[in-house]
């Protein structure tokens, strides 16, 4: 068996940081950030996000005893991008910790313990995916955390980690390529204004800009587009680190961008001589979203948006009353026909009864069920007629912008269904607006009355 000479072993083993990597890690170790060590890396693809962040974690784990977590959006990615990753020189990423320093290694759990006797520390590095272990950190006191590809992570699962990250003494690094103006973008906006964060923003597409890091020559990108392997949008987002290119797989990002450009998201658009129709995603005791719409000729104006969760029907009746609009019809999704287990009544009927006891219009219509993709296409096809009140609809617009389907990096395809998360209720509700009149039945839709070929479907 090979004998190691302990004096010549260094951690991370066989790793020499590149300039831009070293800049960040030096800052993290500087006295200036001793109290709060946190870094945000907006870095393009293939620049060494995981190689360098893992190297930093190995260095720390071999110096300071504690629990360390390296977290990806999914367990599958954790395995591929780190645990089994082979580097350009043929060595494995895990080889950064020399064998004699490893106490125990578990491929099943993707964890490594650093041997106590050799280094005088006792640390564990756990590599995981937020999809499978969203609560992994709960109850554990972490010493260091890396959140990799954060723009692709479920932001709710991240919220659950926050208390642990805020613990004094716990350093953390968040890295990602942009994925539209989502939670990673918001975090970046906040962090770059804060002296507490170390922010590094690099791109690999524009050699003439100061934050350029070379990853591929220009003709590589041109070839990729020419051969249909990717699109300029994807290259802009992944190598240009451009946040304004819509989220990968976003359904309405382009339409919203266009609406902003055409000044259709403006200040006050409520017209008090017109009635207001409402469109619902109704989750009694779950999340509910409501769009408030006025129509005049070809123009469709959303004057207001409301969402809440865990509330009963009576609550929403009060919300409608408080808003004080002159209502026309309230459009509910097909499941409002289902009977409530306790009352034995359909939600739509209960809703109508409650409205009758008020001064408001009790005109309730339940829409037919339609495949989600058909509804999405219907929304897209009429989006150029949509106007939004920028203030009252802000939350709803943000939600629509984030509505997306997940991209399976490994298979390079989009998952067919939209991701069900905080953004999907607003999107479900606005679909009711589109199907309330454009499509009265699935047959009509399939007969080609609305025909929009989705650019995303080309990849599916
Ligand atoms: N300091 C370094 N020394 C040697 N090689 C490096 C260094 N940093 C990165 N690399 C190499 O660059 C390649 C990409 O690294 P890595 O997978 O960590 O990048 P990434 O930004 O996480 O990529 P992706 O966007 O595909 O997830 C790897 O083969 C890695 O070996
Ligand atoms: Mg990576």
């Amino acid at each position: 068996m090979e004998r190691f000479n302990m004096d010549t072993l260094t951690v991370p083993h066989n790793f020499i940081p590149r300039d831009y990597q070293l800049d960040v890690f030096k800052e993290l170790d500087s006295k200036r950030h001793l109290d709060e060590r946190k870094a945000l890396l907006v870095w393009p693809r293939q620049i060494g996000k995981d190689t360098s962040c893992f190297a930093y974690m190995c260095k720390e784990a071999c110096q300071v005893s504690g629990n360390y977590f390296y977290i990806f959006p999914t367990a599958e990615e954790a395995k591929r991008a780190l645990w089994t990753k082979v580097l350009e020189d043929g060595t494995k990423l895990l080889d950064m910790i020399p064998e004699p320093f490893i106490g125990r290694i578990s491929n099943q759990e993707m964890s490594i313990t650093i041997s106590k006797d050799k280094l005088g520390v006792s640390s564990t590095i756990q590599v995981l995916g937020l999809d499978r272990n969203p609560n992994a950190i709960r109850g554990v006191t972490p010493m260091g955390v890396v959140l990799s590809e954060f723009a692709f992570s479920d932001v709710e699962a991240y919220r659950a980690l926050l208390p642990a990250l805020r613990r004094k003494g716990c350093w953390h690094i968040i890295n990602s390529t942009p994925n539209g103006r989502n939670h990673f973008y918001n975090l970046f906006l906040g962090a770059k204004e804060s002296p507490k964060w170390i922010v590094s923003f690099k791109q690999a597409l524009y050699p003439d800009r100061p934050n350029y890091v070379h990853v591929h020559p220009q003709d590589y990108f041109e070839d990729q587009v020419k051969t249909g392997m990717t699109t300029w949008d994807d290259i802009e987002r992944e190598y240009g680190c451009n946040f304004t290119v819509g989220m990968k797989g976003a359904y309405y990002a382009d339409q919203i961008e266009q609406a902003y450009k055409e000044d259709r998201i403006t200040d006050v658009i409520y017209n008090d001589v017109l009635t207001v129709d409402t469109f619902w995603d109704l989750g009694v005791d779950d999340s509910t979203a409501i769009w408030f719409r006025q129509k005049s000729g070809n123009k469709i104006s959303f004057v207001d948006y409301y969402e809440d969760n865990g509330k009963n029907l009576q609550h929403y009746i009060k919300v409608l009353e408080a808003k004080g609009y002159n209502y026309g019809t309230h459009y509910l999704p097909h499941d409002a026909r289902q009977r409530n287990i306790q009352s034995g009544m359909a939600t739509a009927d209960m809703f109508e009864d409650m409205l009758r006891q008020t001064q408001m219009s009790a005109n309730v219509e339940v829409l037919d069920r339609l495949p989600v993709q058909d509804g999405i296409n219907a929304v897209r096809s009429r989006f150029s007629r949509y106007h939004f009140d920028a203030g009252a609809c802000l939350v709803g617009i943000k939600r629509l912008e984030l509505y997306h389907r997940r991209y399976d990096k490994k298979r390079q395809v989009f998952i067919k269904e939209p991701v069900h998360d905080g953004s999907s209720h607003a999107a479900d509700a606005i679909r009711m607006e589109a199907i309330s009149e454009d499509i009265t039945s699935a047959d009509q839709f399939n007969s080609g009355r609305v025909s929009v070929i989705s650019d995303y479907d080309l990849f599916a």
Side-chain angles (χ1 to χ4, degrees):
M1 207 179 115
E2 190 187 350
R3 286 186 65 82
F4 287 95
N5 175 357
M6 297 293 285
D7 297 336
T8 59
L9 286 178
T10 51
V11 182
H13 200 52
N14 270 342
F15 173 80
I16 300 164
R18 296 172 180 165
D19 291 351
Y20 57 89
Q21 298 168 344
L22 190 60
D23 286 347
V24 172
F25 302 131
K26 262 189 179 161
E27 268 289 290
L28 267 172
D29 288 346
S30 76
K31 282 212 178 78
R32 212 153 62 80
H33 291 280
L34 209 59
D35 286 343
E36 255 180 289
R37 294 159 73 200
K38 46 190 187 184
L40 185 90
L41 317 182
V42 183
W43 281 4
R45 296 224 36 214
Q46 285 295 298
I47 188 182
K49 293 185 288 295
D50 291 316
T51 306
S52 60
C53 291
F54 187 65
Y56 186 79
M57 182 171 277
C58 292
K59 169 196 89 97
E60 286 287 312
C62 288
Q63 282 178 324
V64 183
S65 297
N67 296 302
Y68 296 82
F69 295 88
Y70 203 106
I71 305 174
F72 285 89
T74 65
E76 157 99 39
E77 241 179 306
K79 192 169 171 197
R80 182 171 43 83
L82 199 159
W83 195 258
T84 57
K85 173 110 181 164
V86 178
L87 303 176
E88 277 156 4
D89 65 1
T91 60
K92 285 174 73 182
L93 193 51
L94 287 187
D95 295 341
M96 282 197 194
I97 308 176
E99 207 184 308
F101 297 167
I102 296 176
R104 184 177 162 267
I105 184 160
S106 162
N107 285 320
Q108 183 84 21
E109 292 162 15
M110 294 198 281
S111 70
I112 305 174
T113 53
I114 311 282
S115 157
K116 199 174 192 147
D117 25 318
K118 303 278 181 358
L119 289 171
V121 297
S122 174
S123 291
T124 306
I125 296 180
Q126 170 86 59
V127 180
L128 54 94
L130 265 186
D131 62 333
R132 221 167 292 163
N133 310 67
N135 297 317
I137 293 196
R138 199 165 285 174
V140 185
T141 317
M143 195 56 88
V145 177
V146 174
L147 287 157
S148 185
E149 295 296 0
F150 181 65
F152 300 85
S153 277
D154 175 5
V155 71
E156 298 305 324
Y158 166 67
R159 284 208 181 100
L161 304 179
L162 276 176
L165 297 184
R166 291 195 180 123
R167 196 192 65 82
K168 205 167 161 39
C170 170
W171 61 264
H172 65 279
I173 306 173
I174 296 181
N175 77 49
S176 192
T177 12
N179 189 24
R181 283 186 275 226
N182 67 357
H183 55 276
F184 181 54
Y185 178 61
N186 293 337
L187 186 66
F188 167 64
L189 290 184
K192 75 184 174 63
E193 300 304 326
S194 159
K196 290 183 178 169
W197 280 90
I198 298 156
V199 177
S200 170
F201 189 168
K202 302 289 173 196
Q203 52 83 24
L205 191 57
Y206 304 103
D208 51 334
R209 296 185 190 165
N211 65 347
Y212 175 75
V213 173
H214 184 82
V215 175
H216 296 298
Q218 290 299 303
D219 54 4
Y220 168 87
F221 299 122
E222 277 154 29
D223 279 356
Q224 289 280 304
V225 175
K226 250 188 236 154
T227 52
M229 296 298 284
T230 187
T231 62
W232 277 116
D233 267 4
D234 284 349
I235 287 174
E236 269 281 347
R237 177 177 38 237
E238 294 181 353
Y239 290 96
C241 279
N242 189 340
F243 282 103
T244 68
V245 181
M247 175 190 250
K248 204 172 175 109
Y251 287 105
Y252 303 132
D254 290 350
Q255 283 79 0
I256 290 174
E257 191 70 23
Q258 195 62 24
Y260 272 114
K261 276 193 195 142
E262 292 173 4
D263 251 356
R264 287 185 284 110
I265 301 179
T266 46
D267 269 346
V268 181
I269 51 176
Y270 175 61
N271 181 343
D272 59 7
V273 299
L274 298 174
T275 54
V276 171
D277 297 319
T278 63
F279 298 88
W280 296 63
D281 176 41
L282 191 58
V284 179
D285 298 328
D286 176 24
S287 285
T288 288
I290 315 166
W291 285 100
F292 297 75
R293 179 205 73 175
Q294 294 192 310
K295 235 181 130 218
S296 141
N298 206 29
K299 185 174 172 187
I300 300 164
S301 303
F302 291 99
V303 295
D304 211 339
Y305 172 78
Y306 180 82
E307 64 172 42
D308 209 334
N309 63 66
K311 301 288 187 336
N312 59 22
L313 265 182
Q314 199 62 51
H315 169 82
Y316 296 107
I317 299 279
K318 287 202 184 107
V319 169
L320 294 185
E321 270 185 317
K323 291 203 179 271
Y325 297 124
N326 176 20
Y327 293 103
T329 304
H330 306 282
Y331 292 90
L332 305 184
H334 70 94
D335 49 9
R337 284 200 194 99
Q338 277 169 16
R339 287 180 195 288
N340 180 290
I341 302 171
Q342 273 131 35
S343 68
M345 265 177 97
T347 309
D349 295 335
M350 291 197 309
F351 185 52
E352 206 174 317
D353 280 357
M354 287 179 189
L355 283 168
R356 283 223 175 84
Q357 290 160 34
T358 70
Q359 303 293 313
M360 298 185 289
S361 157
N363 210 357
V364 175
E365 203 169 304
V366 181
L367 294 160
D368 284 341
R369 183 177 205 156
L370 204 72
V372 174
Q373 188 59 48
D374 292 355
I376 291 170
N377 288 345
V379 171
R380 281 181 172 170
S381 72
R382 58 203 270 123
F383 215 96
S384 59
R385 294 163 60 195
Y386 283 176
H387 295 245
F388 297 86
D389 185 287
C393 299
L394 182 68
V395 173
I397 296 165
K398 281 268 158 229
R399 299 276 194 228
L400 292 185
E401 208 170 359
L402 298 184
Y403 186 52
H404 70 289
R405 57 165 98 175
R406 207 180 293 292
Y407 186 70
D408 180 337
K409 262 191 173 176
K410 194 172 166 204
R411 292 189 295 130
Q412 303 210 335
V413 293
F414 285 102
I415 310 295
K416 277 233 154 70
E417 298 301 314
V419 173
H420 185 84
D421 61 10
S423 66
S424 47
H425 303 289
D428 288 344
I430 209 162
R431 245 185 21 245
M432 298 304 113
E433 196 282 328
I435 67 175
S436 67
E437 60 186 60
D438 252 2
I439 314 162
T440 44
S441 75
D443 286 349
Q444 233 170 342
F445 184 84
N446 291 335
S447 71
R449 204 159 72 90
V450 181
S451 60
V452 179
I453 297 172
S454 141
D455 38 350
Y456 300 113
D457 291 342
L458 297 175
F459 296 93

